[in-house]
Amino acid sequence: MMHLHRTVLATVAALLAGLVPVCAQYDPNWPEPLLPLAGTMFLGGGGELPQDTLARFVQMAGGDEANLVVLTTSETAAVPAALKQAAVVKVLAADAAELAQAATRLATATGVWLLADSGKQFADMFRGSVVESQLFMLVHRSGVLGANGDVVTAMTATRITGGDVHATLATGLDLVPGAVIDANYQVDLHQNRLLGVLASQPELVGIGIETGTVTVLHNRFFDVFGQGSAYACVAANEHLAVRIERIHPDVSPRSQRVAPRKAPQRNSRRAPRVGAAPRDGRERVRRYRPRRLEDLMAMSRDAMARTRARFPSLKPGTPNVKVGALIIVGGGGSPAGFMDKFMELAGGKDALLLYIPCTESQEANAERTLARWRRAGATDVDVIHTKDRYEADTSKEIHDKLRRAGGLFFGGGRQWNLVDSWQHTESHRLMHEVLARGGVIAGSSAGASIQGSYMARGNSLGNVDSMAPGYDTGLGFLTGVAIDQHFSQRGRQPDMTMLVNRHPQLLGIGLDEASSIIVQGTIATCFSREGRNVHFYDRNLPVVPEQPDYLRLSNGQQFDLAHRKVIAK
């Protein structure tokens, strides 16, 4: 449970008051999701480290300005030459004074490399100590933590200590959140062992790292380099098979195989080749930017969702906005008259309109949007934005704005950001209250997809996949539907076909750019520019080969969401 005020009693009281419909996808008892790290971890699978591993580690820790520490529990540990600038801190006994002295040294470090004779020795020495606390703080203040081999297995609260088919377990340090790690991993020998751990602890993500391979956990995303692969695993449940994702540049999302590059600046020199000797004679490496090959938070969300009720339900609720209205826009601009309709449904030009940006950044520039609303005649406009779930759950300022709002507008971007910020927080509940008071919730592009109970195209690694386990649940203002946007302009018809074939109980809605639907009750009215359409996918209807598998509606036409049929004019 995140906070005391999010209790079952509070939810029941809100339901009895008629403020939160039963179908609302707000659950104060939902498992608390992982939060991203501010820093980076280098997790070696054992054996010889790949070339440039430690150079990249030093670079991420600050390069020439790095404050490096090698923390070891071994009297004879050999400090790698690449870490010669590091201070060596030896802790040879679990003595309170010695641990406190080590913790003091770690408090100002920007990078810490761990050395120990075994994971058991490391875990026994530091578990529950002030050193563990400082290592935890390191990666939450943008620092870098690294280790290789058996020590890496001790960096998770559940530690694999051995076993061929069935793992033997002990307690490690809770540094890598929500996971259990198997180093020196061999798929044919260790996969069943790792999956066995997940069968008993299904909320965890299993991570297997092959020998000679380094997995970099940066913020929330995995990169991998070296001679092998890493594997991220999620346990099966009664209706979903085991999920195993191989993490390797050759098989991970194409858009992430090459690190994004910034546009070259004038007079800038090309970075030297790895190992090249520049003019000052010192060895340098090309600037390392971790790729996004897999997402620990998404995998963790999938793992936790598999411990809950089946989603989407085989019998989802009927799409029905009993009070208030939704305006769901397909991106690429708005239909003519949008702001007039938005203000009207919010209660008039003097109603409070709130803009909710969709961005990875804690900072969001909302002024252009708010200025456009003012020019349209709105007199009371504001913004709410946070990347901090605690703030979304507790901020009196945000909650007071939501309690006064007549209209909300979710902006475009990548819709998983909206899930991270708001889902299952008190702010999420208060958003449903806006509808229950008779207000309006609108959104475009990502702000369209987030409104459905099933969230299409939520993959945090890119916008190619229409289905993304872990990020397939929206904010649930309209139940029983999956909404996609930029539909015809980006050729997304096959994606929606795939989605409704997988989940035929859902009604698929594909919105062209500058098209929208206004939903009141169970009626969706198309509100679109000329030539822009809305597509409805209903698998209760027969699919005819070589014919469109959707119904296409244009401006002014209406669709009955409950009975899944076009309303005759």
Side-chain angles (χ1 to χ4, degrees):
M1 212 72 52
M2 184 187 286
H3 306 296
L4 183 61
H5 72 278
R6 291 173 57 201
T7 62
V8 176
L9 290 177
T11 306
V12 171
L15 288 168
L16 292 175
L19 295 177
V20 183
V22 174
C23 61
Q25 283 178 209
Y26 161 74
D27 183 355
N29 297 312
W30 191 265
E32 189 60 28
L34 294 186
L35 298 178
L37 304 175
T40 306
M41 293 188 186
F42 282 67
L43 308 171
E48 185 176 352
L49 287 170
Q51 184 181 12
D52 299 321
T53 297
L54 295 178
R56 291 176 175 183
F57 169 82
V58 172
Q59 184 189 97
M60 295 291 289
D64 292 340
E65 304 300 319
N67 184 358
L68 300 177
V69 172
V70 172
L71 176 65
T72 179
T73 59
S74 172
E75 181 68 59
T76 59
V79 177
L83 299 179
K84 60 185 178 182
Q85 72 187 86
V88 179
V89 176
K90 294 182 180 180
V91 181
L92 304 179
D95 175 76
E98 196 169 345
L99 290 170
Q101 185 177 5
T104 299
R105 184 65 186 82
L106 295 175
T108 57
T110 61
V112 177
W113 192 268
L114 308 175
L115 293 176
D117 291 332
S118 69
K120 180 181 187 305
Q121 181 190 58
F122 178 81
D124 291 347
M125 186 72 75
F126 297 128
R127 185 175 55 245
S129 72
V130 289
V131 169
E132 179 181 7
S133 298
Q134 284 300 329
L135 294 175
F136 177 86
M137 292 301 298
L138 171 73
V139 292
H140 287 274
R141 63 168 190 269
S142 303
V144 186
L145 182 63
N148 188 33
D150 198 41
V151 178
V152 169
T153 67
M155 294 171 67
T156 58
T158 297
R159 178 168 68 91
I160 295 177
T161 61
D164 294 328
V165 178
H166 303 289
T168 55
L169 302 176
T171 303
L173 280 64
D174 195 8
L175 300 176
V176 183
V180 56
I181 297 177
D182 205 349
N184 291 296
Y185 188 74
Q186 298 180 56
V187 173
D188 54 343
L189 294 180
H190 301 140
Q191 179 172 290
N192 288 339
R193 168 173 94 175
L194 184 56
L195 295 178
V197 177
L198 300 182
S200 62
Q201 300 183 58
E203 73 282 0
L204 298 179
V205 177
I207 302 170
I209 309 173
E210 293 181 335
T211 305
T213 304
V214 171
T215 297
V216 178
L217 176 58
H218 178 65
N219 187 254
R220 59 189 286 171
F221 299 103
F222 287 122
D223 189 12
V224 167
F225 58 88
Q227 66 185 36
S229 302
Y231 297 83
C233 310
V234 172
N237 63 13
E238 61 272 17
H239 56 272
L240 291 173
V242 167
R243 178 183 175 193
I244 300 175
E245 300 289 349
R246 181 185 172 205
I247 311 174
H248 187 278
D250 290 343
V251 298
S252 296
R254 180 174 297 276
S255 62
Q256 299 300 332
R257 291 180 194 172
V258 178
R261 297 179 180 273
K262 295 181 179 179
Q265 299 179 359
R266 290 189 180 186
N267 302 322
S268 64
R269 287 191 244 177
R270 180 176 298 188
R273 300 185 310 276
V274 174
R279 293 178 180 177
D280 61 9
R282 291 182 300 168
E283 183 174 321
R284 293 180 185 171
V285 296
R286 189 186 300 276
R287 179 170 177 78
Y288 172 57
R289 299 186 184 97
R291 294 163 294 195
R292 296 181 174 187
L293 302 184
E294 190 51 78
D295 181 358
L296 176 60
M297 286 177 60
M299 296 290 292
S300 176
R301 282 181 171 272
D302 186 21
M304 289 189 289
R306 290 173 180 232
T307 68
R308 313 289 286 188
R310 181 170 185 161
F311 180 85
S313 169
L314 294 177
K315 295 183 178 180
T318 300
N320 188 1
V321 182
K322 295 180 180 179
V323 185
L326 302 176
I327 308 179
I328 307 173
V329 185
S334 301
F338 166 80
M339 274 306 300
D340 290 337
K341 180 61 67 173
F342 184 40
M343 289 188 291
E344 173 194 332
L345 293 173
K349 63 183 180 63
D350 296 326
L352 173 60
L353 305 180
L354 291 181
Y355 173 51
I356 307 175
C358 179
T359 175
E360 284 190 62
S361 173
Q362 180 61 43
E363 304 300 322
N365 185 0
E367 191 49 45
R368 289 180 61 185
T369 297
L370 300 185
R372 186 168 65 250
W373 290 1
R374 293 187 189 102
R375 289 194 298 271
T379 63
D380 192 2
V381 298
D382 211 334
V383 60
I384 57 172
H385 174 65
T386 183
K387 297 301 295 182
D388 184 343
R389 290 180 54 81
Y390 180 81
E391 184 178 16
D393 205 50
T394 63
S395 169
K396 183 177 184 300
E397 179 182 1
I398 291 176
H399 296 171
D400 285 349
K401 290 179 181 180
L402 285 169
R403 289 188 177 100
R404 290 198 306 113
L408 310 179
F409 183 91
F410 289 92
R414 297 292 297 117
Q415 46 266 40
W416 56 269
N417 287 292
L418 296 170
V419 172
D420 283 350
S421 294
W422 307 108
Q423 192 176 63
H424 303 311
T425 67
E426 177 68 3
S427 291
H428 184 188
R429 188 184 71 80
L430 292 172
M431 292 170 183
H432 281 278
E433 280 194 14
V434 174
L435 281 182
R437 290 194 300 269
V440 59
I441 294 178
S444 181
S445 190
S449 292
I450 194 67
Q451 296 190 49
S453 54
Y454 188 98
M455 188 175 76
R457 217 168 289 280
N459 194 337
S460 56
L461 301 176
N463 67 353
V464 174
D465 303 313
S466 61
M467 294 173 281
Y471 280 103
D472 52 5
T473 308
L475 296 183
F477 305 128
L478 188 63
T479 60
V481 304
I483 302 167
D484 205 357
Q485 11 75 20
H486 301 282
F487 202 64
S488 295
Q489 290 69 30
R490 298 186 184 178
R492 290 177 168 176
Q493 289 87 345
D495 295 341
M496 185 60 79
T497 294
M498 187 183 304
L499 192 156
V500 295
N501 285 347
R502 175 80 61 84
H503 303 296
Q505 68 272 38
L506 297 175
L507 177 66
I509 302 175
L511 298 157
D512 285 351
E513 293 179 355
S515 75
S516 72
I517 53 174
I518 299 174
V519 183
Q520 294 173 295
T522 61
I523 306 302
T525 301
C526 294
F527 179 46
S528 306
R529 291 183 190 173
E530 184 178 354
R532 302 300 172 90
N533 303 301
V534 181
H535 310 75
F536 293 91
Y537 286 70
D538 177 13
R539 280 300 176 263
N540 292 330
L541 299 177
V543 175
V544 179
E546 308 302 325
Q547 296 294 320
D549 60 341
Y550 52 81
L551 300 172
R552 183 170 59 203
L553 278 67
S554 58
N555 185 51
Q557 290 187 283
Q558 293 185 314
F559 190 84
D560 185 333
L561 300 171
H563 298 97
R564 298 191 176 188
K565 65 180 183 179
V566 179
I567 298 175
K569 291 185 178 180

